[in-house]
Amino acid sequence: MNPVSTLVTVTRQTMLVALIAIGASAASMQTAMADQPAKQVFGAAKLPAVLPARAIGFYSKGCLAGGIAIPTDGPTWQAMRLSRNRRWGHPDLIALVEKLSREAAAKDGWPGLLVGDIAQPRGGPMLSGHASHQVGLDADIWLTPMPQRTLTAAERENISATSMLRKNTLQVDDRVWTPAHARLLMRAASYPEVERIFIHPGIKKKLCDTWKGDRSAMGKLRPYYGHHYHFHIRIKCPPGTSGCRSQNPPPSGSGCDKSLAWWFTDEPWAPAKPKKNDKPKPRKREIQLSDLPQACSVVAAAPGPASEAEVTFGADPIARIARANANAAGVAASAFPAVPLPGRIPLPVPRPVN
């Protein structure tokens, strides 16, 4: 046999044996982790899974493979709350956030974005905070404009975002709200990959009452609790992604109608009245790893970058190492079995279509 052919055959056999060993090890780890609380598994991951980029499951019940981190600082953004390690996302989302920062700075008079939580390195449920942000397709952007200097690490941890509301009201405070805020939000909503943007009802009303430009994307701006100091961008599942479920499209129209007026009644804000003979609700069961889509067990058990030394938090290398995920692990694409999409996540009522 040709010596080169022999070498190629031996090399292929060696790679196959190695892949089988890796697969067996991963399967063993998946079994061991299956009955652990999912937030403990994903909250403990400090680095992404070296797998092709993929959003898996639903925004509030899923995980993220091949995540990348937005760099701590860019020409038109700065990442906040670095200690949380929640600035990871699907490459499509990170690209969109960076694009929004550039275009808003160039065209809307917005000096730059302060970027809040995106997702954990491997997505999944968080130890605290968000119910969503699990698949790397959600990002929080502060409504505070970026200062014309680089914030210190301490400032990123301790300064607070600015509320857009008058104290103890649902109305926007015109002393802090500017036309640039409106332009930023409407630009974000205009991108076709954006599914919806969550904002406070008072901000939605301000836009309904004052925006004079193109209103075709107004319906993507969805009123919701909180969100008066930041807005929440949610993008659709990337094209061609299997096992990722987008949210149903928002209702047609601008949303400047009775559905918005509902938020200015007492009903949304009043505590639910207990019904006669109501039994105490059982304690909510923690989501286990086995409750998530099956592919999330693969993500949880997958190797990360070769070493933490390769990643320098607070500098570009953390993004560069993660951006290499897809190229570094092309053989791993078959690790994801075809799995059914998760069921609809129940939400408290009453609640409008959002």
Side-chain angles (χ1 to χ4, degrees), residues 15-333:
M15 289 178 64
L16 180 59
V17 169
L19 287 171
I20 291 171
I22 291 171
S25 175
S28 176
M29 289 178 65
Q30 291 169 44
T31 301
M33 292 189 296
D35 292 326
Q36 291 186 35
K39 68 180 183 181
Q40 299 291 342
V41 173
F42 286 96
K46 304 302 182 188
L47 295 170
V50 181
L51 293 168
R54 184 178 172 204
I56 301 162
F58 190 63
Y59 304 96
S60 56
K61 194 175 183 181
C63 60
L64 171 67
I68 68 170
I70 191 166
T72 301
D73 298 296
T76 48
W77 75 82
Q78 295 185 47
M80 306 298 288
R81 305 294 193 258
L82 301 180
S83 65
R84 296 180 182 177
N85 197 24
R86 294 178 178 176
R87 56 193 177 95
W88 300 84
H90 189 280
D92 286 10
L93 176 69
I94 301 302
L96 181 133
V97 170
E98 294 181 4
K99 174 184 173 183
L100 174 63
S101 77
R102 292 191 301 270
E103 294 190 348
K107 303 175 183 178
D108 301 323
W110 193 259
L113 303 182
L114 295 180
V115 181
D117 287 355
I118 301 175
Q120 299 175 136
R122 301 184 186 209
M126 296 185 181
L127 291 171
S128 63
H130 313 279
S132 60
H133 290 257
Q134 293 192 27
V135 295
L137 303 180
D138 296 285
D140 287 343
I141 307 296
W142 287 23
L143 286 163
T144 307
M146 187 182 81
Q148 295 301 315
R149 63 181 178 82
T150 301
L151 295 170
T152 66
E155 286 174 321
R156 293 172 199 251
E157 295 298 324
N158 297 313
I159 65 173
S160 298
T162 304
S163 173
M164 296 292 106
L165 303 182
R166 297 201 302 268
K167 190 174 182 180
N168 298 323
T169 77
L170 302 178
Q171 311 298 325
V172 164
D173 187 343
D174 288 326
R175 294 172 299 178
V176 294
W177 178 261
T178 68
H181 284 94
R183 291 192 293 268
L184 171 67
L185 285 165
M186 294 305 294
R187 177 170 299 281
S190 73
Y191 296 139
E193 57 266 58
V194 169
E195 187 172 67
R196 57 199 358 95
I197 292 174
F198 297 104
I199 54 170
H200 189 275
I203 297 176
K204 171 75 175 191
K205 186 176 188 305
K206 183 70 172 179
L207 290 166
C208 288
D209 292 346
T210 62
W211 183 253
K212 304 301 182 186
D214 182 0
R215 296 171 73 92
S216 59
M218 183 72 76
K220 291 184 185 179
L221 294 154
R222 309 306 301 164
Y224 204 62
Y225 300 100
H227 297 86
H228 52 92
Y229 54 90
H230 75 277
F231 63 100
H232 175 158
I233 297 175
R234 172 169 292 173
I235 69 170
K236 303 171 186 175
C237 290
T241 302
S242 63
C244 175
R245 181 163 69 87
S246 294
Q247 194 170 353
N248 291 333
S252 60
S254 67
C256 301
D257 51 22
K258 63 182 181 180
S259 65
L260 177 59
W262 179 84
W263 288 96
F264 296 89
T265 67
D266 291 337
E267 187 178 354
W269 316 101
K273 294 180 180 178
K275 294 180 181 178
K276 200 172 183 179
N277 300 323
D278 267 1
K279 294 179 180 179
K281 291 183 179 179
R283 186 175 178 182
K284 193 173 181 181
R285 175 180 170 274
E286 282 195 335
I287 294 176
Q288 305 296 300
L289 181 59
S290 57
D291 295 324
L292 298 181
Q294 185 180 347
C296 290
S297 295
V298 177
V299 172
S307 71
E308 261 189 73
E310 294 182 16
V311 181
T312 304
F313 285 85
D316 285 348
I318 194 171
R320 289 202 299 270
I321 187 68
R323 288 179 200 275
N325 274 343
N327 292 334
V331 295

